[in-house]
Amino acid sequence: MQVLVTGGLGYIGSHTSVLLLEKGYDVVIVDDLSNSNEKVLKNIFKITNKTPAFEKIDLKERESVSKLFKNYNFDGIIHFAAHKSVNESILYPKKYFQNNIGSLENIIDEIKLLKNPINFIFSSSCTVYGQADSMPINETFKLKKAESPYGQSKRKCEEILESVIESGHCFKNITLRYFNPVGAHPTSIIGELPTGVPENLVPYITQTAIGKRDFLTVFGNDYNTKDGTCIRDYIHIMDLAEVHISCLEKLTDVNDDNYFKVYNVGSGKGTSVLELISLFENVNQLKLNYKIGKRRNGDVIVAYADSTKIKDELNWSTKYSLENALETAWKWELNLKTNEQRNQN
Ligand code: UD1
């Protein structure tokens, strides 16, 4: 089975590609390298002993997407490729709409030309729920106005997919709303590779612990939560990668040509920022330099998932702990440093 993985050199894409290759799928990675590094391909090989096909393509370019679909015969598509910085999206909203929505539209245009219905998995985000009225969040919750152009772009993509399928174009879709992916591959050969200053909590923590950043700022401790800091649902990247395999298997099995499902993917457990810091310190036996700062604009206070639907319908469940995620995130950061030092010598 040939699977197109767009954004396959990124954080979630690379971990998913490794699992796909290990399961015997024929993987074609498309990435424009705007927020990733071609070296990840070598690292995927180091883990799997297999080299996926790689095409450096900007999916906003209609012609390149047409050529891609002419050159391959995909049975499945996992569409990760998207810009994902909330802050950048506020500064450059057009960039986010053009890229995140434009890329999906180009792929859909090609899917419409295919003879057989294709299996399609779309990466969405819990950001589409905004601040939900109660916890845990399930898929029936009303979607709120997105806090950022990034969030709006994800919501728009979901709407586009639903309306294309409703209008009777044959393709089978699962949309996944990820909560907060953390951790790294157990080998420490691949992990999260933020460009510039990280916006997300765990890479900021590991970069502070290793000395790349002076201190971590906790964005507010005066929220109405158990310790005053925001609560999130952190899910191990390996568990998240595994979900995509379960989805592909499900899509292959179903006969409904216009199959459409939306699933939350989270651990179901809410963890505060201070709890996460403390767990990171305990698991890795170190002290983190952090300060309490002001609230971050646009932060929701609490978000954690009810993942019952995906557990029941796809028979998927988490296997890895948050402790393991924080341990592997730290080992990955240490490994990056060793490699940087080796390259300098
Ligand atoms: C953020 C995005 C979300 C996106 C997701 C992708 C915002 C408001 N939300 O989610 O739309 O889908 O990334 O992974 O940006 N924190 C600190 N100090 C830091 C960094 C983070 O205290 O230096 C706190 C945040 O306030 C938050 C928690 O850590 O409470 C997690 O933050 P983050 O990793 O950025 O994820 P989200 O805010 O959940």
mmCIF file of all heavy atoms in Angstrom, residues 84-87 125-127 147-148 150-151 178-182 192 198-205 216-220 223 229-232 234 273 276-277 296-301 303, ligand 1:
data_model
loop_
_atom_site.group_PDB
_atom_site.id
_atom_site.type_symbol
_atom_site.label_atom_id
_atom_site.label_comp_id
_atom_site.label_asym_id
_atom_site.label_seq_id
_atom_site.Cartn_x
_atom_site.Cartn_y
_atom_site.Cartn_z
ATOM 1 N N LYS A 84 2.372 26.002 11.545
ATOM 2 C CA LYS A 84 1.708 25.711 12.827
ATOM 3 C C LYS A 84 2.015 26.697 13.954
ATOM 4 O O LYS A 84 1.654 26.452 15.107
ATOM 5 C CB LYS A 84 2.059 24.295 13.275
ATOM 6 C CG LYS A 84 3.540 24.078 13.524
ATOM 7 C CD LYS A 84 3.794 22.749 14.194
ATOM 8 C CE LYS A 84 5.252 22.629 14.611
ATOM 9 N NZ LYS A 84 5.590 21.402 15.271
ATOM 10 N N SER A 85 2.669 27.820 13.637
ATOM 11 C CA SER A 85 2.967 28.750 14.720
ATOM 12 C C SER A 85 1.805 29.730 14.931
ATOM 13 O O SER A 85 1.429 30.475 14.022
ATOM 14 C CB SER A 85 4.249 29.523 14.402
ATOM 15 O OG SER A 85 4.244 30.742 15.092
ATOM 16 N N VAL A 86 1.263 29.694 16.138
ATOM 17 C CA VAL A 86 0.140 30.574 16.449
ATOM 18 C C VAL A 86 0.562 32.042 16.322
ATOM 19 O O VAL A 86 -0.099 32.855 15.679
ATOM 20 C CB VAL A 86 -0.391 30.273 17.869
ATOM 21 C CG1 VAL A 86 -1.410 31.306 18.305
ATOM 22 C CG2 VAL A 86 -0.995 28.886 17.904
ATOM 23 N N ASN A 87 1.722 32.370 16.913
ATOM 24 C CA ASN A 87 2.193 33.762 16.886
ATOM 25 C C ASN A 87 2.431 34.249 15.471
ATOM 26 O O ASN A 87 2.028 35.342 15.092
ATOM 27 C CB ASN A 87 3.515 33.892 17.659
ATOM 28 C CG ASN A 87 3.248 33.951 19.136
ATOM 29 O OD1 ASN A 87 2.149 34.314 19.553
ATOM 30 N ND2 ASN A 87 4.244 33.569 19.924
ATOM 31 N N SER A 125 -6.586 20.012 14.939
ATOM 32 C CA SER A 125 -6.062 20.352 16.258
ATOM 33 C C SER A 125 -7.199 20.633 17.220
ATOM 34 O O SER A 125 -8.275 21.105 16.820
ATOM 35 C CB SER A 125 -5.186 21.595 16.099
ATOM 36 O OG SER A 125 -4.989 22.223 17.334
ATOM 37 N N CYS A 126 -6.929 20.401 18.503
ATOM 38 C CA CYS A 126 -7.927 20.713 19.534
ATOM 39 C C CYS A 126 -8.186 22.209 19.596
ATOM 40 O O CYS A 126 -9.139 22.647 20.246
ATOM 41 C CB CYS A 126 -7.462 20.199 20.885
ATOM 42 S SG CYS A 126 -5.969 21.013 21.452
ATOM 43 N N THR A 127 -7.365 22.979 18.920
ATOM 44 C CA THR A 127 -7.550 24.432 18.891
ATOM 45 C C THR A 127 -8.936 24.789 18.327
ATOM 46 O O THR A 127 -9.477 25.845 18.648
ATOM 47 C CB THR A 127 -6.399 25.095 18.088
ATOM 48 O OG1 THR A 127 -6.429 26.487 18.314
ATOM 49 C CG2 THR A 127 -6.487 24.837 16.608
ATOM 50 N N GLU A 147 -8.988 31.162 18.047
ATOM 51 C CA GLU A 147 -8.281 32.293 18.654
ATOM 52 C C GLU A 147 -7.236 32.898 17.722
ATOM 53 O O GLU A 147 -6.710 33.968 17.982
ATOM 54 C CB GLU A 147 -7.572 31.819 19.937
ATOM 55 C CG GLU A 147 -8.498 31.345 21.039
ATOM 56 C CD GLU A 147 -9.117 32.493 21.819
ATOM 57 O OE1 GLU A 147 -8.713 33.646 21.608
ATOM 58 O OE2 GLU A 147 -10.030 32.220 22.625
ATOM 59 N N SER A 148 -6.873 32.195 16.657
ATOM 60 C CA SER A 148 -5.785 32.682 15.803
ATOM 61 C C SER A 148 -6.043 32.268 14.360
ATOM 62 O O SER A 148 -6.792 31.323 14.107
ATOM 63 C CB SER A 148 -4.471 32.052 16.260
ATOM 64 O OG SER A 148 -4.495 30.663 15.987
ATOM 65 N N TYR A 150 -4.122 30.604 12.613
ATOM 66 C CA TYR A 150 -3.734 29.188 12.533
ATOM 67 C C TYR A 150 -4.958 28.303 12.850
ATOM 68 O O TYR A 150 -5.300 27.382 12.102
ATOM 69 C CB TYR A 150 -2.589 28.887 13.514
ATOM 70 C CG TYR A 150 -2.462 27.423 13.852
ATOM 71 C CD1 TYR A 150 -1.922 26.530 12.940
ATOM 72 C CD2 TYR A 150 -2.929 26.919 15.075
ATOM 73 C CE1 TYR A 150 -1.848 25.174 13.242
ATOM 74 C CE2 TYR A 150 -2.859 25.578 15.381
ATOM 75 C CZ TYR A 150 -2.318 24.713 14.462
ATOM 76 O OH TYR A 150 -2.257 23.375 14.751
ATOM 77 N N GLY A 151 -5.623 28.631 13.950
ATOM 78 C CA GLY A 151 -6.809 27.867 14.347
ATOM 79 C C GLY A 151 -7.919 27.971 13.314
ATOM 80 O O GLY A 151 -8.578 26.977 12.988
ATOM 81 N N TYR A 178 -5.721 16.619 17.252
ATOM 82 C CA TYR A 178 -4.661 16.296 18.211
ATOM 83 C C TYR A 178 -4.716 17.244 19.402
ATOM 84 O O TYR A 178 -4.885 18.440 19.244
ATOM 85 C CB TYR A 178 -3.276 16.484 17.590
ATOM 86 C CG TYR A 178 -3.023 15.810 16.270
ATOM 87 C CD1 TYR A 178 -2.295 16.478 15.289
ATOM 88 C CD2 TYR A 178 -3.450 14.516 16.007
ATOM 89 C CE1 TYR A 178 -2.011 15.888 14.069
ATOM 90 C CE2 TYR A 178 -3.183 13.922 14.793
ATOM 91 C CZ TYR A 178 -2.466 14.604 13.826
ATOM 92 O OH TYR A 178 -2.185 14.025 12.620
ATOM 93 N N PHE A 179 -4.454 16.691 20.581
ATOM 94 C CA PHE A 179 -4.203 17.544 21.739
ATOM 95 C C PHE A 179 -2.688 17.852 21.733
ATOM 96 O O PHE A 179 -2.176 18.149 20.669
ATOM 97 C CB PHE A 179 -4.806 16.907 23.001
ATOM 98 C CG PHE A 179 -6.309 17.160 23.019
ATOM 99 C CD1 PHE A 179 -7.146 16.563 22.070
ATOM 100 C CD2 PHE A 179 -6.882 18.055 23.898
ATOM 101 C CE1 PHE A 179 -8.524 16.852 22.008
ATOM 102 C CE2 PHE A 179 -8.250 18.351 23.859
ATOM 103 C CZ PHE A 179 -9.066 17.748 22.921
ATOM 104 N N ASN A 180 -1.956 17.793 22.814
ATOM 105 C CA ASN A 180 -0.564 18.303 22.777
ATOM 106 C C ASN A 180 0.478 17.186 22.651
ATOM 107 O O ASN A 180 0.791 16.519 23.643
ATOM 108 C CB ASN A 180 -0.288 19.098 24.049
ATOM 109 C CG ASN A 180 -1.124 20.348 24.134
ATOM 110 O OD1 ASN A 180 -2.356 20.292 24.083
ATOM 111 N ND2 ASN A 180 -0.482 21.485 24.231
ATOM 112 N N PRO A 181 1.028 16.992 21.451
ATOM 113 C CA PRO A 181 2.021 15.930 21.288
ATOM 114 C C PRO A 181 3.361 16.280 21.950
ATOM 115 O O PRO A 181 3.842 17.406 21.800
ATOM 116 C CB PRO A 181 2.198 15.825 19.762
ATOM 117 C CG PRO A 181 1.592 17.044 19.180
ATOM 118 C CD PRO A 181 0.739 17.704 20.205
ATOM 119 N N VAL A 182 3.913 15.331 22.676
ATOM 120 C CA VAL A 182 5.209 15.543 23.349
ATOM 121 C C VAL A 182 6.039 14.266 23.292
ATOM 122 O O VAL A 182 5.523 13.188 23.027
ATOM 123 C CB VAL A 182 5.035 15.966 24.839
ATOM 124 C CG1 VAL A 182 4.528 17.391 24.952
ATOM 125 C CG2 VAL A 182 4.103 15.023 25.586
ATOM 126 N N GLU A 192 11.272 16.317 18.224
ATOM 127 C CA GLU A 192 10.769 17.624 17.774
ATOM 128 C C GLU A 192 11.961 18.535 17.491
ATOM 129 O O GLU A 192 12.904 18.611 18.270
ATOM 130 C CB GLU A 192 9.888 18.231 18.877
ATOM 131 C CG GLU A 192 9.143 19.454 18.418
ATOM 132 C CD GLU A 192 8.029 19.885 19.379
ATOM 133 O OE1 GLU A 192 7.891 19.257 20.446
ATOM 134 O OE2 GLU A 192 7.313 20.846 19.041
ATOM 135 N N PRO A 198 11.401 28.089 20.473
ATOM 136 C CA PRO A 198 10.178 27.270 20.506
ATOM 137 C C PRO A 198 9.006 28.024 21.116
ATOM 138 O O PRO A 198 9.199 28.819 22.041
ATOM 139 C CB PRO A 198 10.549 26.085 21.397
ATOM 140 C CG PRO A 198 11.974 26.207 21.725
ATOM 141 C CD PRO A 198 12.457 27.559 21.330
ATOM 142 N N GLU A 199 7.812 27.761 20.606
ATOM 143 C CA GLU A 199 6.604 28.348 21.215
ATOM 144 C C GLU A 199 5.957 27.361 22.171
ATOM 145 O O GLU A 199 5.265 27.739 23.094
ATOM 146 C CB GLU A 199 5.582 28.693 20.112
ATOM 147 C CG GLU A 199 5.875 29.995 19.431
ATOM 148 C CD GLU A 199 4.809 30.364 18.401
ATOM 149 O OE1 GLU A 199 3.643 29.988 18.553
ATOM 150 O OE2 GLU A 199 5.186 31.048 17.429
ATOM 151 N N ASN A 200 6.166 26.077 21.905
ATOM 152 C CA ASN A 200 5.497 25.052 22.715
ATOM 153 C C ASN A 200 6.295 24.751 23.986
ATOM 154 O O ASN A 200 7.501 24.949 24.046
ATOM 155 C CB ASN A 200 5.272 23.780 21.890
ATOM 156 C CG ASN A 200 4.298 24.020 20.747
ATOM 157 O OD1 ASN A 200 4.637 23.846 19.594
ATOM 158 N ND2 ASN A 200 3.095 24.451 21.071
ATOM 159 N N LEU A 201 5.575 24.264 24.972
ATOM 160 C CA LEU A 201 6.146 24.137 26.314
ATOM 161 C C LEU A 201 7.315 23.149 26.413
ATOM 162 O O LEU A 201 8.379 23.497 26.930
ATOM 163 C CB LEU A 201 5.023 23.734 27.293
ATOM 164 C CG LEU A 201 5.435 23.568 28.746
ATOM 165 C CD1 LEU A 201 5.997 24.857 29.320
ATOM 166 C CD2 LEU A 201 4.240 23.098 29.592
ATOM 167 N N VAL A 202 7.130 21.918 25.928
ATOM 168 C CA VAL A 202 8.163 20.909 26.192
ATOM 169 C C VAL A 202 9.497 21.229 25.494
ATOM 170 O O VAL A 202 10.549 21.173 26.147
ATOM 171 C CB VAL A 202 7.639 19.481 25.906
ATOM 172 C CG1 VAL A 202 8.765 18.464 25.944
ATOM 173 C CG2 VAL A 202 6.571 19.115 26.938
ATOM 174 N N PRO A 203 9.500 21.623 24.210
ATOM 175 C CA PRO A 203 10.801 22.004 23.644
ATOM 176 C C PRO A 203 11.430 23.211 24.353
ATOM 177 O O PRO A 203 12.654 23.290 24.469
ATOM 178 C CB PRO A 203 10.497 22.313 22.177
ATOM 179 C CG PRO A 203 9.035 22.282 22.020
ATOM 180 C CD PRO A 203 8.446 21.557 23.188
ATOM 181 N N TYR A 204 10.587 24.101 24.875
ATOM 182 C CA TYR A 204 11.157 25.244 25.619
ATOM 183 C C TYR A 204 11.804 24.744 26.909
ATOM 184 O O TYR A 204 12.881 25.195 27.311
ATOM 185 C CB TYR A 204 10.084 26.323 25.908
ATOM 186 C CG TYR A 204 10.716 27.686 26.005
ATOM 187 C CD1 TYR A 204 10.589 28.618 24.987
ATOM 188 C CD2 TYR A 204 11.512 28.024 27.107
ATOM 189 C CE1 TYR A 204 11.218 29.850 25.052
ATOM 190 C CE2 TYR A 204 12.148 29.258 27.183
ATOM 191 C CZ TYR A 204 12.002 30.158 26.154
ATOM 192 O OH TYR A 204 12.644 31.377 26.220
ATOM 193 N N ILE A 205 11.151 23.773 27.544
ATOM 194 C CA ILE A 205 11.703 23.205 28.789
ATOM 195 C C ILE A 205 13.049 22.522 28.511
ATOM 196 O O ILE A 205 14.043 22.767 29.201
ATOM 197 C CB ILE A 205 10.711 22.184 29.411
ATOM 198 C CG1 ILE A 205 9.509 22.905 30.001
ATOM 199 C CG2 ILE A 205 11.397 21.310 30.452
ATOM 200 C CD1 ILE A 205 8.454 21.978 30.636
ATOM 201 N N LEU A 216 12.677 29.412 31.638
ATOM 202 C CA LEU A 216 11.341 29.234 31.063
ATOM 203 C C LEU A 216 10.407 30.215 31.757
ATOM 204 O O LEU A 216 10.495 30.395 32.965
ATOM 205 C CB LEU A 216 10.856 27.802 31.328
ATOM 206 C CG LEU A 216 9.365 27.563 31.054
ATOM 207 C CD1 LEU A 216 9.120 27.265 29.583
ATOM 208 C CD2 LEU A 216 8.824 26.414 31.907
ATOM 209 N N THR A 217 9.546 30.853 30.979
ATOM 210 C CA THR A 217 8.505 31.684 31.602
ATOM 211 C C THR A 217 7.219 30.879 31.630
ATOM 212 O O THR A 217 6.772 30.377 30.599
ATOM 213 C CB THR A 217 8.273 32.971 30.776
ATOM 214 O OG1 THR A 217 9.519 33.650 30.660
ATOM 215 C CG2 THR A 217 7.262 33.875 31.454
ATOM 216 N N VAL A 218 6.660 30.732 32.810
ATOM 217 C CA VAL A 218 5.339 30.098 32.938
ATOM 218 C C VAL A 218 4.314 31.198 32.671
ATOM 219 O O VAL A 218 4.289 32.215 33.369
ATOM 220 C CB VAL A 218 5.150 29.499 34.355
ATOM 221 C CG1 VAL A 218 3.727 28.979 34.537
ATOM 222 C CG2 VAL A 218 6.172 28.396 34.604
ATOM 223 N N PHE A 219 3.502 30.972 31.648
ATOM 224 C CA PHE A 219 2.578 32.030 31.239
ATOM 225 C C PHE A 219 1.349 32.107 32.144
ATOM 226 O O PHE A 219 0.277 31.637 31.803
ATOM 227 C CB PHE A 219 2.140 31.815 29.779
ATOM 228 C CG PHE A 219 3.277 31.943 28.786
ATOM 229 C CD1 PHE A 219 3.358 31.092 27.677
ATOM 230 C CD2 PHE A 219 4.257 32.918 28.918
ATOM 231 C CE1 PHE A 219 4.388 31.202 26.751
ATOM 232 C CE2 PHE A 219 5.297 33.036 28.000
ATOM 233 C CZ PHE A 219 5.357 32.180 26.924
ATOM 234 N N GLY A 220 1.532 32.716 33.305
ATOM 235 C CA GLY A 220 0.418 32.975 34.214
ATOM 236 C C GLY A 220 0.220 31.885 35.256
ATOM 237 O O GLY A 220 0.246 30.696 34.921
ATOM 238 N N TYR A 223 -4.705 31.600 37.050
ATOM 239 C CA TYR A 223 -5.924 31.040 36.448
ATOM 240 C C TYR A 223 -6.703 30.275 37.514
ATOM 241 O O TYR A 223 -6.120 29.845 38.515
ATOM 242 C CB TYR A 223 -5.563 30.068 35.312
ATOM 243 C CG TYR A 223 -5.057 30.741 34.056
ATOM 244 C CD1 TYR A 223 -3.682 30.748 33.754
ATOM 245 C CD2 TYR A 223 -5.926 31.348 33.157
ATOM 246 C CE1 TYR A 223 -3.207 31.350 32.591
ATOM 247 C CE2 TYR A 223 -5.456 31.942 31.990
ATOM 248 C CZ TYR A 223 -4.092 31.934 31.713
ATOM 249 O OH TYR A 223 -3.641 32.530 30.572
ATOM 250 N N THR A 229 -2.049 27.439 37.056
ATOM 251 C CA THR A 229 -1.480 27.410 35.690
ATOM 252 C C THR A 229 -2.407 26.620 34.756
ATOM 253 O O THR A 229 -3.237 25.825 35.212
ATOM 254 C CB THR A 229 -0.045 26.816 35.685
ATOM 255 O OG1 THR A 229 -0.084 25.449 36.097
ATOM 256 C CG2 THR A 229 0.880 27.614 36.604
ATOM 257 N N CYS A 230 -2.213 26.838 33.460
ATOM 258 C CA CYS A 230 -3.115 26.230 32.467
ATOM 259 C C CYS A 230 -2.983 24.710 32.430
ATOM 260 O O CYS A 230 -1.912 24.161 32.716
ATOM 261 C CB CYS A 230 -2.785 26.748 31.068
ATOM 262 S SG CYS A 230 -3.155 28.473 30.836
ATOM 263 N N ILE A 231 -4.047 24.088 32.024
ATOM 264 C CA ILE A 231 -4.077 22.617 31.977
ATOM 265 C C ILE A 231 -4.233 22.148 30.538
ATOM 266 O O ILE A 231 -5.053 22.669 29.778
ATOM 267 C CB ILE A 231 -5.211 22.096 32.874
ATOM 268 C CG1 ILE A 231 -4.850 22.418 34.334
ATOM 269 C CG2 ILE A 231 -5.457 20.604 32.671
ATOM 270 C CD1 ILE A 231 -5.907 22.077 35.338
ATOM 271 N N ARG A 232 -3.396 21.158 30.173
ATOM 272 C CA ARG A 232 -3.424 20.600 28.824
ATOM 273 C C ARG A 232 -3.398 19.080 28.886
ATOM 274 O O ARG A 232 -3.041 18.495 29.902
ATOM 275 C CB ARG A 232 -2.193 21.047 28.013
ATOM 276 C CG ARG A 232 -2.104 22.529 27.728
ATOM 277 C CD ARG A 232 -3.140 22.953 26.695
ATOM 278 N NE ARG A 232 -2.994 24.358 26.340
ATOM 279 C CZ ARG A 232 -3.533 25.365 27.021
ATOM 280 N NH1 ARG A 232 -4.255 25.140 28.104
ATOM 281 N NH2 ARG A 232 -3.358 26.615 26.626
ATOM 282 N N TYR A 234 -1.372 16.173 27.400
ATOM 283 C CA TYR A 234 -0.132 15.858 26.687
ATOM 284 C C TYR A 234 -0.145 14.396 26.257
ATOM 285 O O TYR A 234 -0.343 13.512 27.086
ATOM 286 C CB TYR A 234 1.074 16.149 27.591
ATOM 287 C CG TYR A 234 1.150 17.622 27.950
ATOM 288 C CD1 TYR A 234 0.587 18.102 29.144
ATOM 289 C CD2 TYR A 234 1.728 18.533 27.078
ATOM 290 C CE1 TYR A 234 0.622 19.458 29.454
ATOM 291 C CE2 TYR A 234 1.768 19.890 27.387
ATOM 292 C CZ TYR A 234 1.214 20.338 28.564
ATOM 293 O OH TYR A 234 1.240 21.685 28.863
ATOM 294 N N VAL A 273 0.829 23.259 33.913
ATOM 295 C CA VAL A 273 2.206 23.601 33.520
ATOM 296 C C VAL A 273 3.165 23.285 34.672
ATOM 297 O O VAL A 273 4.226 22.675 34.456
ATOM 298 C CB VAL A 273 2.309 25.103 33.118
ATOM 299 C CG1 VAL A 273 3.746 25.471 32.779
ATOM 300 C CG2 VAL A 273 1.394 25.407 31.936
ATOM 301 N N LEU A 276 3.741 19.613 35.025
ATOM 302 C CA LEU A 276 4.602 19.098 33.955
ATOM 303 C C LEU A 276 6.071 19.404 34.255
ATOM 304 O O LEU A 276 6.946 18.545 34.093
ATOM 305 C CB LEU A 276 4.197 19.704 32.605
ATOM 306 C CG LEU A 276 4.843 18.973 31.446
ATOM 307 C CD1 LEU A 276 3.911 17.903 30.902
ATOM 308 C CD2 LEU A 276 5.235 19.914 30.345
ATOM 309 N N ILE A 277 6.329 20.618 34.741
ATOM 310 C CA ILE A 277 7.712 21.000 35.077
ATOM 311 C C ILE A 277 8.242 20.078 36.172
ATOM 312 O O ILE A 277 9.355 19.553 36.085
ATOM 313 C CB ILE A 277 7.766 22.484 35.536
ATOM 314 C CG1 ILE A 277 7.433 23.411 34.368
ATOM 315 C CG2 ILE A 277 9.129 22.825 36.136
ATOM 316 C CD1 ILE A 277 7.274 24.873 34.753
ATOM 317 N N ARG A 296 -0.293 34.406 28.517
ATOM 318 C CA ARG A 296 -0.079 34.536 27.073
ATOM 319 C C ARG A 296 -1.421 34.790 26.404
ATOM 320 O O ARG A 296 -2.395 34.086 26.692
ATOM 321 C CB ARG A 296 0.545 33.235 26.532
ATOM 322 C CG ARG A 296 0.789 33.247 25.042
ATOM 323 C CD ARG A 296 1.612 32.052 24.591
ATOM 324 N NE ARG A 296 0.877 30.782 24.659
ATOM 325 C CZ ARG A 296 1.376 29.610 24.270
ATOM 326 N NH1 ARG A 296 2.613 29.539 23.803
ATOM 327 N NH2 ARG A 296 0.656 28.504 24.369
ATOM 328 N N ASN A 297 -1.436 35.760 25.507
ATOM 329 C CA ASN A 297 -2.675 36.058 24.784
ATOM 330 C C ASN A 297 -3.184 34.836 24.046
ATOM 331 O O ASN A 297 -2.400 34.143 23.402
ATOM 332 C CB ASN A 297 -2.418 37.147 23.730
ATOM 333 C CG ASN A 297 -2.693 38.515 24.297
ATOM 334 O OD1 ASN A 297 -3.328 38.620 25.359
ATOM 335 N ND2 ASN A 297 -2.216 39.534 23.623
ATOM 336 N N GLY A 298 -4.472 34.613 24.122
ATOM 337 C CA GLY A 298 -5.066 33.544 23.312
ATOM 338 C C GLY A 298 -4.991 32.163 23.939
ATOM 339 O O GLY A 298 -5.492 31.198 23.365
ATOM 340 N N ASP A 299 -4.346 32.039 25.117
ATOM 341 C CA ASP A 299 -4.268 30.716 25.746
ATOM 342 C C ASP A 299 -5.625 30.297 26.290
ATOM 343 O O ASP A 299 -6.277 31.082 26.984
ATOM 344 C CB ASP A 299 -3.291 30.745 26.928
ATOM 345 C CG ASP A 299 -1.973 30.101 26.606
ATOM 346 O OD1 ASP A 299 -1.927 29.271 25.676
ATOM 347 O OD2 ASP A 299 -0.978 30.420 27.286
ATOM 348 N N VAL A 300 -6.057 29.082 25.993
ATOM 349 C CA VAL A 300 -7.231 28.567 26.684
ATOM 350 C C VAL A 300 -6.772 28.120 28.070
ATOM 351 O O VAL A 300 -5.587 27.851 28.279
ATOM 352 C CB VAL A 300 -7.921 27.403 25.914
ATOM 353 C CG1 VAL A 300 -8.374 27.850 24.548
ATOM 354 C CG2 VAL A 300 -7.033 26.196 25.831
ATOM 355 N N ILE A 301 -7.703 28.099 29.023
ATOM 356 C CA ILE A 301 -7.298 27.795 30.405
ATOM 357 C C ILE A 301 -7.135 26.283 30.593
ATOM 358 O O ILE A 301 -6.109 25.809 31.062
ATOM 359 C CB ILE A 301 -8.327 28.356 31.418
ATOM 360 C CG1 ILE A 301 -8.527 29.862 31.144
ATOM 361 C CG2 ILE A 301 -7.876 28.125 32.853
ATOM 362 C CD1 ILE A 301 -9.725 30.474 31.843
ATOM 363 N N ALA A 303 -7.819 22.393 28.665
ATOM 364 C CA ALA A 303 -8.253 21.569 27.521
ATOM 365 C C ALA A 303 -7.729 20.150 27.688
ATOM 366 O O ALA A 303 -6.505 19.939 27.724
ATOM 367 C CB ALA A 303 -7.753 22.158 26.201
HETATM 368 C C1 UD1 B 1 -0.448 25.686 21.101
HETATM 369 C C2 UD1 B 1 -1.394 26.523 20.306
HETATM 370 C C3 UD1 B 1 -2.380 25.636 19.607
HETATM 371 C C4 UD1 B 1 -1.643 24.651 18.720
HETATM 372 C C5 UD1 B 1 -0.627 23.880 19.531
HETATM 373 C C6 UD1 B 1 0.247 23.074 18.600
HETATM 374 C C7 UD1 B 1 -1.540 28.690 21.439
HETATM 375 C C8 UD1 B 1 -2.410 29.614 22.187
HETATM 376 N N1 UD1 B 1 -2.056 27.490 21.154
HETATM 377 O O1 UD1 B 1 -1.216 24.955 22.020
HETATM 378 O O2 UD1 B 1 -3.270 26.404 18.836
HETATM 379 O O3 UD1 B 1 -2.546 23.744 18.136
HETATM 380 O O4 UD1 B 1 0.213 24.790 20.243
HETATM 381 O O5 UD1 B 1 1.102 22.259 19.328
HETATM 382 O O6 UD1 B 1 -0.435 29.024 21.111
HETATM 383 N N2 UD1 B 1 3.601 27.565 28.225
HETATM 384 C C9 UD1 B 1 4.346 28.274 29.141
HETATM 385 N N3 UD1 B 1 5.572 28.726 28.755
HETATM 386 C C10 UD1 B 1 6.075 28.531 27.504
HETATM 387 C C11 UD1 B 1 5.297 27.791 26.568
HETATM 388 C C12 UD1 B 1 4.050 27.335 26.966
HETATM 389 O O7 UD1 B 1 3.930 28.475 30.283
HETATM 390 O O8 UD1 B 1 7.183 28.996 27.217
HETATM 391 C C13 UD1 B 1 2.281 27.044 28.639
HETATM 392 C C14 UD1 B 1 1.124 27.611 27.839
HETATM 393 O O9 UD1 B 1 0.634 28.774 28.415
HETATM 394 C C15 UD1 B 1 0.135 26.456 27.910
HETATM 395 C C16 UD1 B 1 1.022 25.198 28.008
HETATM 396 O O10 UD1 B 1 2.296 25.665 28.412
HETATM 397 O O11 UD1 B 1 -0.601 26.546 29.073
HETATM 398 C C17 UD1 B 1 1.153 24.474 26.680
HETATM 399 O O12 UD1 B 1 1.545 25.411 25.698
HETATM 400 P P1 UD1 B 1 1.900 24.974 24.203
HETATM 401 O O13 UD1 B 1 2.903 23.892 24.234
HETATM 402 O O14 UD1 B 1 2.260 26.211 23.462
HETATM 403 O O15 UD1 B 1 0.558 24.338 23.655
HETATM 404 P P2 UD1 B 1 -0.915 24.960 23.535
HETATM 405 O O16 UD1 B 1 -1.011 26.321 24.078
HETATM 406 O O17 UD1 B 1 -1.842 23.973 24.127
#
